[in-house]
Amino acid sequence: MMFDVLIVGGGAAGFYAAIHIAEQQPSWQIAILERGKQVLTKVKVSGGGRCNVTHAEFDPSELVKNYPRGEKELLGPFHTYASGDTVAFFEERGIPLKIEEDGRMFPTTNSSQTIIDCFTNEVNRLGITVLKNSSVTAINRIAENEGGWEIESIRKTYRTRKVLVATGSNPKIWNLLQSLGHTIVPPTPSLFTFNIKDPRITGIQGLSTPARIAVLSKRLNNPKITLALKSVSAEAVKLEAEGPLLITHWGLSGPGILKLSAWGAVLLNQYKYQFKIKVNWLPEYYEGAVLSLLMEIKEVEAKKTILRTKAVDLPRRLWVNLVKAAGITDGVKWADVSKSQLQDLALQLTASEFEVDGKSTFKEEFVTAGGIDLKEINFKTFESKLLPNLFFAGEVLNIDAITGGFNFQNAWTGGYIAAKGISAK
């Protein structure tokens, strides 16, 4: 059977595109090929099962700042279709979204099943075929003069005029696309937490506090990379982020760390996830200002013990651990503490160094940097510049975002614009 459009990948971008194509071209034969038994599996687990649909950032030039890869390329697309359009899409289908304090947006039902039901109802209403257990094994161009494509799956072979690839981070599909001439930027993990064993954060898991975190540069064995860093001192800051820091059983997590892991995905992979970070637990202050504050408290609270007098706005158990790390023991009073001990404490509060040894995946958010080189895509239509009638959407491209609904927004925007490009041709 000849289809008008075949969509490879039954995830967020694939479904969103299919719905928009079918609405613009009701007579077309459209099918979605999904390799698994279930569709929309990432939608189901996203946001802890609540589905973080998008983010309440409605200015395209601010929205793009959340994409370590894709920032420049998405500016035009976000002017065409962005968070506000996503909200309207769901509201038109009876699914209002709510904004949480941090800007993340969820269905008011707090259930990802609401989003899945919406997509499956739309696909049924519009007569789109969904073919599950149909892992794609080959993507071939039909002879130039005929145009179109042949897609081989483990079940059967299909012909189609146009193809949309929306398979996310799938190495097998990347290999097929590479054999067609596309360049694949090698995948590296993004959005991960840092594994750290350190007495300062042991036994206080679950604490969260604002912080500024910096990754310190290190010498690499790769001569090419070392040359680029020759002028950088051994402890120079390579990357910096600010945001809530969460102490966990295995180290550090939270939005501040996740931002660093996204922006530093390629560098931290080169470091083999072994590097040093510097944490300022009082991001509003620098070391000198904190030392002055501690000296003042020494005068005012002379009779009190340091451990019991939490001098700054920090969780108490963290304060105790940092005081001990500065070499100040249980019974020491402010009156008896030396200036050098207070200098050590100011350093612990504003520039604690930690050794990171490995990473852990953040919840179910498997996000990967890497994919089809963005230079090979026309971002007005999300069509391949190399191969006519081949379109892409979502994380199959070398686009990824920090956590907060931005990866889904990339899927919705790419799906919508690819649908427009496909429908217009």
Side-chain angles (χ1 to χ4, degrees):
M1 178 181 174
M2 184 74 169
F3 284 95
D4 294 288
V5 188
L6 271 178
I7 293 164
V8 183
F15 268 76
Y16 209 71
I19 290 162
H20 283 99
I21 297 164
E23 287 188 326
Q24 291 167 63
Q25 296 289 356
S27 62
W28 281 14
Q29 295 288 329
I30 304 162
I32 297 171
L33 293 168
E34 166 55 44
R35 65 179 173 171
K37 287 190 292 224
Q38 301 295 328
V39 292
L40 301 161
T41 48
K42 227 176 173 181
V43 172
K44 188 155 185 65
V45 298
S46 143
R50 296 195 299 142
C51 190
N52 182 187
V53 177
T54 185
H55 201 94
E57 177 50 78
F58 302 103
D59 175 353
S61 51
E62 288 300 313
L63 185 56
V64 291
K65 290 178 182 171
N66 298 287
Y67 295 83
R69 282 143 294 270
E71 179 175 357
K72 182 169 96 263
E73 292 80 4
L74 286 173
L75 185 58
F78 283 156
H79 276 285
T80 301
Y81 197 92
S83 313
D85 304 289
T86 302
V87 174
F89 171 88
F90 287 107
E91 288 194 338
E92 281 160 18
R93 287 157 183 81
I95 298 169
L97 304 181
K98 59 173 179 172
I99 303 173
E100 302 214 331
E101 263 180 48
D102 57 6
R104 292 182 303 161
M105 298 190 75
F106 293 88
T108 53
T109 58
N110 271 332
S111 170
S112 56
Q113 197 57 45
T114 308
I115 305 299
I116 294 170
D117 293 344
C118 167
F119 285 153
T120 47
N121 292 343
E122 286 292 276
V123 159
N124 293 338
R125 175 178 75 82
L126 294 161
I128 297 161
T129 307
V130 178
L131 301 160
K132 296 175 190 171
N133 297 311
S134 295
S135 190
V136 168
T137 54
I139 301 173
N140 302 310
R141 292 187 75 183
I142 298 170
E144 294 278 341
N145 53 355
E146 289 179 61
W149 293 86
E150 191 173 75
I151 307 286
E152 289 176 37
S153 81
I154 52 173
R155 294 189 155 211
K156 56 198 287 191
T157 299
Y158 305 92
R159 286 194 157 202
T160 179
R161 294 192 299 119
K162 298 158 198 280
V163 177
L164 170 69
V165 180
T167 46
S169 306
N170 182 331
K172 284 184 183 160
I173 298 296
W174 280 332
N175 289 340
L176 297 181
L177 295 168
Q178 197 163 20
S179 66
L180 290 167
H182 269 291
T183 308
I184 306 299
V185 176
T188 54
S190 178
L191 289 191
F192 48 84
T193 64
F194 294 176
N195 295 353
I196 298 168
K197 284 191 169 64
D198 191 289
R200 289 167 292 178
I201 56 170
T202 301
I204 58 171
Q205 55 274 6
L207 288 187
S208 178
T209 187
R212 188 161 65 245
I213 314 107
V215 170
L216 302 176
S217 75
K218 63 182 261 188
R219 294 275 180 258
L220 291 159
N221 295 333
N222 182 334
K224 280 192 205 150
I225 298 163
T226 313
L227 285 173
L229 293 177
K230 272 275 161 71
S231 59
V232 182
S233 80
E235 295 298 304
V237 169
K238 288 299 292 173
L239 291 158
E240 202 166 30
E242 199 168 311
L245 198 55
L246 175 67
I247 296 169
T248 68
H249 284 283
W250 56 89
L252 293 174
S253 183
I257 294 288
L258 295 172
K259 270 188 219 169
L260 270 190
S261 74
W263 288 98
V266 175
L267 181 75
L268 300 182
N269 180 261
Q270 289 169 350
Y271 285 173
K272 297 187 166 50
Y273 308 106
Q274 298 194 322
F275 53 92
K276 264 201 245 181
I277 59 169
K278 186 154 57 175
V279 177
N280 182 346
W281 300 100
L282 303 169
E284 306 293 311
Y285 299 93
Y286 60 95
E287 189 188 334
V290 173
L291 180 59
S292 302
L293 174 70
L294 296 175
M295 298 295 277
E296 277 176 41
I297 293 167
K298 177 177 162 70
E299 299 300 317
V300 179
E301 305 282 11
K303 291 181 180 167
K304 292 187 179 171
T305 63
I306 295 177
L307 275 187
R308 295 237 177 114
T309 323
K310 187 163 67 83
V312 290
D313 184 17
L314 270 187
R316 179 165 294 284
R317 288 182 298 159
L318 178 60
W319 164 258
V320 168
N321 283 6
L322 294 175
V323 169
K324 287 179 177 172
I328 300 167
T329 50
D330 284 17
V332 177
K333 294 186 170 143
W334 283 98
D336 305 324
V337 72
S338 68
K339 186 175 179 186
S340 72
Q341 284 176 311
L342 289 185
Q343 283 170 327
D344 283 350
L345 180 53
L347 200 64
Q348 287 295 342
L349 291 165
T350 57
S352 291
E353 287 192 10
F354 293 93
E355 293 278 351
V356 176
D357 183 15
K359 63 174 177 56
S360 297
T361 303
F362 174 65
K363 296 185 180 171
E364 303 87 0
E365 310 281 350
F366 295 103
V367 175
T368 305
I372 295 165
D373 194 322
L374 304 184
K375 293 192 210 65
E376 298 170 356
I377 305 299
N378 171 2
F379 279 92
K380 289 190 170 70
T381 56
F382 280 69
E383 185 174 15
S384 163
K385 287 180 183 175
L386 313 182
L387 300 160
N389 294 321
L390 177 62
F391 295 78
F392 302 99
E395 280 184 58
V396 67
L397 298 166
N398 182 27
I399 293 176
D400 64 286
I402 65 171
T403 182
F406 302 106
N407 281 299
F408 274 140
Q409 188 53 55
N410 167 45
W412 315 137
T413 296
Y416 173 84
I417 294 174
K420 260 180 73 171
I422 288 166
S423 306
K425 291 193 79 174

